[in-house]
Amino acid sequence: MNNDIIEKIEKAGLVGRGGGGYSTAKKWREVAKAAGNKKYVIVNASEGETGLFKDIHILTNYPDMVLKGVILALDCLRAKDAFFNLNKRYYRLLRLKLEPLINEYNDKGYNIKIFVEEPSYIGGEETALLNAIEGKRTEPRSKPPYPSIAGLYAKPTLINNVETLYNVARVAEGAYDKKRFYCLSGKLKNKGVHHLPDDWSVEKILKETGNYPGFEFFVQIGGGASGTVCDQGQIKDRLATGAGAIEVFEKKKTDPRKLILRWLEFYQEESCGKCTPCRAGTYQLYEMVKANHEIPWPEMFEILETMEATSFCALGRSVIEPIRSYYSNVLKKA
Amino acid sequence: MNQVIVSINGKQYPAPFGESLLKTAMDNGIEIPHFCYHEDLPIGSSCRTCLVEDVKTGRVVTSCSIKAEDGVAILTDTPKVKELRLKNLELLLAGHQKNCPRCKKGLFCRAADEFGKYGVSTVKYWRPEIQEKLHLMSQAALIDPQLCISCNKCVEICDKIGVGFLKMEGKNIQTHATWSRDKETDCIYCGQCTLHCPVGSAREQNQMEDVEKALADKNKIVIAQMAPSVHASIGEEFGLPIGTDMTGRAYTAFRKLGFNHVFDVNMGADITTIVEAAELVERIKENKDLPMFTSCCPAWVKFMEFYHPEMLNHLTSSRSPQIHSGAAYKTWWAEKKGIDPRKIVVVSFMPCTSKKYEARHEKLKIDGMWPVDYVLTTREFGALLKKYKIDLPNLESSEVEEPGTYSGAAVIYGASGGVMESALRTAYFDLTGKELDKLEFEKVRGIEGIKRTEVEINGRTIKVAVVSTAANAEKIIQEIKNNKSAYDYIEVMACPGGCIGGGGQPIPTTLAIVEKRTESLYKTDAKMKLRQAHLNPVVRDFFDNYIAKLSPAARKKILNTSYSRKKKFE
């Protein structure tokens, strides 16, 4: 086991950039320590949430770095087998770039394969992704066991986001500068991906990128579906957590019902269907808001809170987050 | 197994280490609603209704996924649990309705229970419309996507049986069970999906109304005949202990329902044993088409006709018990009584859904008549009795009519290994002219999926195997392909444990329950004086005074059948 790289990663303080924010060194160590004659590395390039487009940015511009990260992980685990869990839309855009690079490594004895994923929100969930690669329904698995102990084909499996592996390669080169990729969208002048220090506040990011709006606004931070909504006055010390998305909304021109419907439409489409609260809850929420001119807040929260408390996976549990934070931070109803 | 002590609602209970706490609670009479838990199948934790509070963390969690270990403590009825549980029940059952026509018929659906028990109301919710049509599995079962709650149990049991015809499809609210479009995969009509569906989305094709119509028709002579597995399981529909022998009370119930005659499928089983044993003896003597397979399970026959048409010559040509007895009534018995056989309506009460499919085989018709007109499952029998307010547990016992006389060998047909044992009792006599000293063949009893033994008859060793589920049958078939002389005689049933675990049996059915029902069958056999098919005087009369006088072709028509390659849905 090459502990060197794990120590470097730990020192650099890398955390998962898929949205979970789990310590990368810890994750690597768990897989490294796990018993098993075969281990897998998986690059998670599912990026199925709205408002996120940094993985495609990184894979387009720095595919070599991401692959370098993969190789570092494989070598560290003394493994040869890796999968790119690649969103089908991305596959079309990237295959000409990625495949030659992958072949180069495969010629050296690695076995890296691209798994073309039907684009979906749940497809990014680690255990659902494992099921998909194994040819099963794209649904989350019960945890434990965690993928680091029993993942793909029940073997210890390291699943890292594209950006995380990019950062690993930077760390190995001694070039990691504590930056992350932010996805800026909404009513902005300079939309797109910005690579900036990871300790900048949302306000600073908006200002430094020349994006700070001249109108009254609020933002959704983390991801376009699950992200927390903050009012203009709440972003001074607020980091862009999760997967690093920032979407800006003009307050006056945003119809709350329409915004909520946008979120719910996404969720009721993307729920994998496995568990009751998420499968039926997202559907009932969407129908409920669609059928009413006024937002039926109490009835909505009844379902949302049930989903938060009892959904099978984190996706169902987080549906409440944008709506609740929008309700209390922006509409100031709490 | 390691015992641990768990706490439920402040009381201590012993449990095997690692057991699902939902099971521990249920085994101790503590009720927790659940829809996707079945003790023989994987824990999916997807319905999210078996919620309890974990005392240590204060969090509400699913009890099915908590494993018993020392110190585990749960509360099943806190205000938080109640509130979340109710909400999930309402969300889960939004596609169901309180006064569902099916519920009114008294057929099983756990939704009906929970509506009342937990005050579930789905009126405030939208009824999802699944974009898929109802699918009929021949005449046996059906799958109704509108009622599906995505619990996945039908898919899991279908895989376990070894068929893989069902699968989950779609995502979000459109998630539902559906059938395989693969040309190489077909349903065998075993109905295990109907036995494991908690809400009647997979269910038998109901024939209760047809039977009621026949009973109301004064011009018809309606005969009830019941399979041995129903004797041992119908009590469960009325909350009686598992394995209660209901034979005598069921006969009374048939009379109360208005059946003109009460016979028994067991008599047919004795016919089957005689036909099959004779064929086995002949094949062994001629060393032809061995091993011979049993064919009384229509799901197994369908499996062979679809998946292994190259081996159809190995199936015994004997018809199955319900078809044998049904034809006997409409020929031998009708003639004896001077009755127009066209007036006879035979209703079978079976633990099975594939018997509904078998009853509609054109090739089995005698002079244009179906040997069996309708087949009701044990569950339909229960529903029918409840509809007419016939309190089965409190009925007096009565006897079967003479043409329904049967042996103990017929009773054990219900258990995996029973057909084999019955045939061996008679084949031994056929080959030696003597009765066995010991009638029991313990090695072919029990619920294991594959049982093997050897039997010495007249200095020849007969190698036998007893198999349940298509998955195990496939293993044996592969074994035979590698070694043609591995076996001489093989019994196969599609359902785990045989007919006693059949797709038409009461819900719930688990392997543990199947074991208890099985014991009941063997106990009945042990108590009987008549324990060999060939000693059944009524069956002897049928063979000696009716069959013997027929031309070989006419005989064959009543006793034998043939098989052919089947395409999907055939």
Side-chain angles (χ1 to χ4, degrees):
Chain A
M1 195 194 316
N2 176 3
N3 270 317
D4 221 31
I5 182 73
I6 300 186
E7 270 162 35
K8 280 186 194 167
I9 291 171
E10 190 164 41
K11 238 188 199 159
L14 290 195
V15 295
R17 289 300 187 209
Y22 192 74
S23 156
T24 304
K26 214 169 152 189
K27 204 177 202 178
W28 281 46
R29 216 162 260 146
E30 281 162 13
V31 185
K33 276 189 197 154
N37 50 3
K38 186 153 193 163
K39 293 179 184 180
Y40 291 99
V41 171
I42 297 176
V43 190
N44 192 350
S46 174
E47 204 161 54
E49 191 170 352
T50 54
L52 291 177
F53 37 80
K54 61 162 180 87
D55 290 347
I56 179 71
H57 173 87
I58 296 165
L59 284 171
T60 307
N61 294 292
Y62 318 103
D64 50 327
M65 290 295 281
V66 177
L67 266 165
K68 201 172 162 189
V70 175
I71 298 302
L72 283 162
L74 285 171
D75 289 349
C76 171
L77 300 173
R78 297 209 175 110
K80 295 285 173 209
D81 300 276
F83 281 90
F84 255 88
N85 181 64
L86 197 57
N87 185 320
K88 198 187 216 168
R89 292 192 310 262
Y90 293 179
Y91 177 69
R92 294 193 196 107
L93 300 168
L94 292 169
R95 54 177 284 252
L96 292 179
K97 245 179 209 175
L98 272 179
E99 278 168 357
L101 276 170
I102 287 173
N103 290 341
E104 237 172 76
Y105 283 111
N106 285 352
D107 288 344
K108 289 179 198 158
Y110 294 99
N111 179 24
I112 306 170
K113 285 186 187 138
I114 294 180
F115 174 75
V116 182
E117 181 218 352
E118 279 304 320
S120 76
Y121 183 41
I122 193 70
E125 201 279 341
E126 291 193 347
T127 59
L129 167 166
L130 296 173
N131 277 345
I133 296 178
E134 288 182 19
K136 300 176 182 154
R137 269 180 71 79
T138 313
E139 298 183 332
R141 299 178 180 175
S142 287
K143 287 183 275 192
Y146 289 91
S148 46
I149 307 297
L152 191 64
Y153 305 109
K155 304 290 180 199
T157 304
L158 176 72
I159 308 168
N160 274 154
N161 168 254
V162 168
E163 183 176 353
T164 311
L165 288 166
Y166 167 86
N167 284 339
V168 167
R170 298 274 290 185
V171 166
E173 285 178 355
Y176 179 63
D177 46 7
K178 291 190 185 295
K179 281 183 180 174
R180 69 177 297 179
F181 292 88
Y182 298 98
C183 303
L184 271 50
S185 64
K187 228 181 158 185
L188 296 174
K189 271 180 264 170
N190 299 312
K191 286 186 230 195
V193 177
H194 295 265
H195 197 213
L196 300 168
D198 63 9
D199 58 352
W200 281 14
S201 71
V202 173
E203 188 177 285
K204 187 165 183 183
I205 292 164
L206 290 177
K207 282 184 175 160
E208 296 288 334
T209 55
N211 270 320
Y212 197 83
F215 47 80
E216 257 193 282
F217 70 97
F218 63 92
V219 294
Q220 187 178 15
I221 301 164
S226 67
T228 306
V229 175
C230 290
D231 206 22
Q232 186 168 356
Q234 294 173 310
I235 57 170
K236 202 168 181 317
D237 302 310
R238 180 101 201 182
L239 295 180
T241 45
I246 304 171
E247 184 169 354
V248 173
F249 297 84
E250 185 171 358
K251 225 179 198 173
K252 265 189 204 153
K253 292 190 178 163
T254 307
D255 173 2
R257 187 172 160 276
K258 274 191 188 148
L259 179 57
I260 286 170
L261 267 179
R262 190 189 93 174
W263 288 323
L264 291 178
E265 188 174 16
F266 175 80
Y267 279 121
Q268 67 98 28
E269 175 59 32
E270 292 298 323
S271 170
C272 79
K274 177 179 169 68
C275 80
T276 304
C278 180
R279 178 185 70 245
T282 54
Y283 167 74
Q284 296 296 347
L285 285 166
Y286 179 67
E287 294 294 327
M288 186 184 279
V289 177
K290 212 170 61 175
N292 285 290
H293 287 297
E294 295 289 312
I295 301 165
W297 294 107
E299 291 83 0
M300 255 177 72
F301 276 112
E302 238 178 65
I303 295 180
L304 286 167
E305 280 162 12
T306 304
M307 291 173 66
E308 183 182 33
T310 68
S311 286
F312 185 89
C313 83
L315 270 57
R317 291 197 289 269
S318 64
V319 175
I320 193 171
E321 182 57 24
I323 300 174
R324 183 168 53 196
S325 55
Y326 179 47
Y327 182 83
S328 54
N329 292 341
V330 178
L331 304 175
K332 310 259 173 16
K333 298 212 181 199
Chain B
M1 210 185 299
N2 231 344
Q3 287 279 319
V4 295
I5 300 292
V6 300
S7 161
I8 305 176
N9 297 334
K11 262 183 84 174
Q12 314 278 300
Y13 297 95
F17 176 79
E19 177 178 83
S20 163
L21 236 58
L22 174 58
K23 178 163 163 47
T24 315
M26 289 192 298
D27 288 351
N28 288 289
I30 300 159
E31 221 167 288
I32 299 176
H34 59 276
F35 283 86
C36 73
Y37 176 83
H38 187 285
E39 63 182 66
D40 302 332
L41 297 174
I43 293 177
S45 304
S46 63
C47 81
R48 318 305 281 181
T49 60
C50 69
L51 300 172
V52 293
E53 193 173 314
D54 180 343
V55 174
K56 243 183 250 163
T57 62
R59 286 183 54 194
V60 172
V61 291
T62 49
S63 55
C64 63
S65 53
I66 306 178
K67 289 180 180 155
E69 53 181 298
D70 278 319
V72 165
I74 57 166
L75 299 169
T76 66
D77 258 327
T78 66
K80 202 156 77 174
V81 166
K82 280 184 185 164
E83 189 191 319
L84 294 168
R85 180 171 72 193
L86 177 62
K87 189 60 39 193
N88 278 345
L89 281 168
E90 291 181 340
L91 290 170
L92 182 74
L93 300 176
H96 287 251
Q97 46 185 339
K98 203 166 189 172
N99 290 309
C100 166
R102 198 186 123 75
C103 291
K104 280 185 178 163
K105 276 187 194 153
L107 285 162
F108 176 84
C109 174
R110 206 178 287 144
D113 298 348
E114 313 306 37
F115 277 124
K117 218 181 286 167
Y118 296 96
V120 177
S121 158
T122 58
V123 286
K124 56 190 156 186
Y125 291 136
W126 277 257
R127 254 189 109 170
E129 207 177 298
I130 308 292
Q131 306 296 324
E132 174 150 340
K133 286 187 209 126
L134 187 136
H135 177 72
L136 298 179
M137 285 98 133
S138 188
Q139 293 89 1
L142 61 84
I143 186 146
D144 179 354
Q146 299 308 330
L147 297 180
C148 179
I149 56 162
S150 309
C151 72
N152 207 40
K153 294 300 110 176
C154 59
V155 178
E156 288 159 11
I157 192 67
C158 194
D159 282 347
K160 197 173 160 183
I161 295 301
V163 177
F165 179 67
L166 297 175
K167 55 180 189 149
M168 296 302 288
E169 198 172 77
K171 61 178 188 174
N172 58 50
I173 196 70
Q174 289 297 326
T175 309
H176 61 274
T178 188
W179 47 279
S180 170
R181 265 65 170 175
D182 175 15
K183 267 195 213 149
E184 309 298 317
T185 306
D186 199 9
C187 176
I188 62 169
Y189 314 127
C190 72
Q192 285 291 320
C193 51
T194 69
L195 190 61
H196 289 80
C197 177
V199 293
S201 171
R203 59 183 190 258
E204 64 274 79
Q205 287 181 42
N206 188 312
Q207 293 184 327
M208 280 160 66
E209 278 162 31
D210 301 307
V211 172
E212 288 175 276
K213 225 192 231 166
L215 287 170
D217 188 341
K218 295 279 170 270
N219 291 316
K220 298 285 183 202
I221 297 160
V222 192
I223 297 172
Q225 59 166 358
M226 170 172 59
S229 293
V230 182
H231 296 218
S233 68
I234 182 64
E236 292 167 40
E237 290 287 323
F238 293 83
L240 293 181
I242 293 154
T244 308
D245 180 10
M246 299 302 286
T247 311
R249 284 175 276 186
Y251 292 147
T252 307
F254 291 135
R255 294 184 170 106
K256 286 207 174 270
L257 282 169
F259 282 93
N260 303 98
H261 292 282
V262 178
F263 299 161
D264 205 297
V265 175
N266 279 344
M267 184 278 251
D270 281 338
I271 299 177
T272 306
T273 297
I274 289 170
V275 175
E276 190 161 325
E279 187 174 354
L280 177 67
V281 166
E282 199 183 298
R283 289 199 194 193
I284 286 174
K285 279 182 184 161
E286 293 176 11
N287 202 12
K288 190 182 151 220
D289 292 337
L290 291 174
M292 186 175 90
F293 285 115
T294 60
S295 74
C296 45
C297 169
W300 153 242
V301 171
K302 167 72 202 258
F303 178 81
M304 283 291 274
E305 290 182 320
F306 184 80
Y307 292 98
H308 289 288
E310 77 284 1
M311 292 183 80
L312 291 176
N313 58 322
H314 291 275
L315 285 170
T316 170
S317 72
S318 174
R319 294 184 163 201
S320 77
Q322 71 156 356
I323 303 297
H324 273 147
S325 54
Y329 311 147
K330 292 190 180 183
T331 56
W332 158 74
W333 182 75
E335 196 180 291
K336 225 162 67 162
K337 293 280 160 188
I339 292 171
D340 175 5
R342 287 178 202 281
K343 286 189 170 177
I344 298 176
V345 176
V346 177
V347 181
S348 294
F349 291 83
M350 308 300 280
C352 180
T353 58
S354 71
K355 288 283 165 188
K356 289 176 184 267
Y357 151 78
E358 180 191 52
R360 284 293 170 273
H361 286 346
E362 284 289 336
K363 66 180 179 190
L364 298 177
K365 276 187 171 173
I366 309 264
D367 295 333
M369 296 176 290
W370 306 114
V372 171
D373 296 274
Y374 303 109
V375 175
L376 297 191
T377 62
T378 314
R379 298 191 294 271
E380 288 171 282
F381 182 24
L384 201 61
L385 292 177
K386 284 174 195 165
K387 180 172 175 185
Y388 292 97
K389 309 218 170 352
I390 295 170
D391 183 18
L392 183 71
N394 293 311
L395 295 182
E396 294 283 325
S397 282
S398 61
E399 295 294 322
V400 71
E401 287 171 54
E402 204 214 355
T405 304
Y406 56 85
S407 74
V411 173
I412 59 172
Y413 253 63
S416 162
V419 177
M420 169 67 63
E421 191 168 332
S422 303
L424 289 176
R425 289 179 190 178
T426 293
Y428 184 88
F429 175 79
D430 287 353
L431 281 165
T432 64
K434 281 183 283 189
E435 297 298 342
L436 280 160
D437 292 332
K438 183 177 183 299
L439 293 175
E440 296 81 7
F441 290 86
E442 265 101 15
K443 285 197 172 139
V444 298
R445 297 184 174 187
I447 61 159
E448 299 92 288
I450 301 178
K451 293 165 277 187
R452 300 175 173 92
T453 190
E454 291 180 354
V455 185
E456 285 273 326
I457 305 180
N458 261 0
R460 191 198 190 286
T461 304
I462 297 173
K463 288 175 281 182
V464 305
V466 170
V467 181
S468 63
T469 80
N472 287 324
E474 185 60 45
K475 284 183 206 159
I476 290 285
I477 287 171
Q478 293 315 321
E479 212 182 312
I480 295 164
K481 291 202 167 182
N482 290 329
N483 175 11
K484 297 228 177 317
S485 56
Y487 303 100
D488 298 299
Y489 185 32
I490 301 170
E491 176 200 302
V492 186
M493 300 291 161
C495 292
C499 310
I500 196 80
Q505 286 286 59
I507 299 170
T509 289
T510 64
L511 288 177
I513 291 174
V514 169
E515 256 185 308
K516 282 191 195 161
R517 292 180 192 149
T518 303
E519 277 173 35
S520 163
L521 295 179
Y522 285 113
K523 253 191 231 159
T524 305
D525 167 46
K527 278 190 291 195
M528 291 183 74
K529 281 203 190 97
L530 174 59
R531 296 182 68 191
Q532 290 107 307
H534 55 276
L535 299 179
N536 183 335
V538 168
V539 170
R540 280 270 57 102
D541 177 49
F542 168 68
F543 276 100
D544 298 344
N545 300 319
Y546 183 75
I547 291 294
K549 291 173 186 158
L550 298 177
S551 71
R555 246 180 252 171
K556 235 180 154 179
K557 246 186 140 20
I558 294 175
L559 301 178
N560 303 97
T561 184
S562 58
Y563 310 99
S564 57
R565 177 190 291 266
K566 289 268 192 306
K567 286 199 201 111
K568 189 158 175 162
F569 297 146
E570 246 188 295

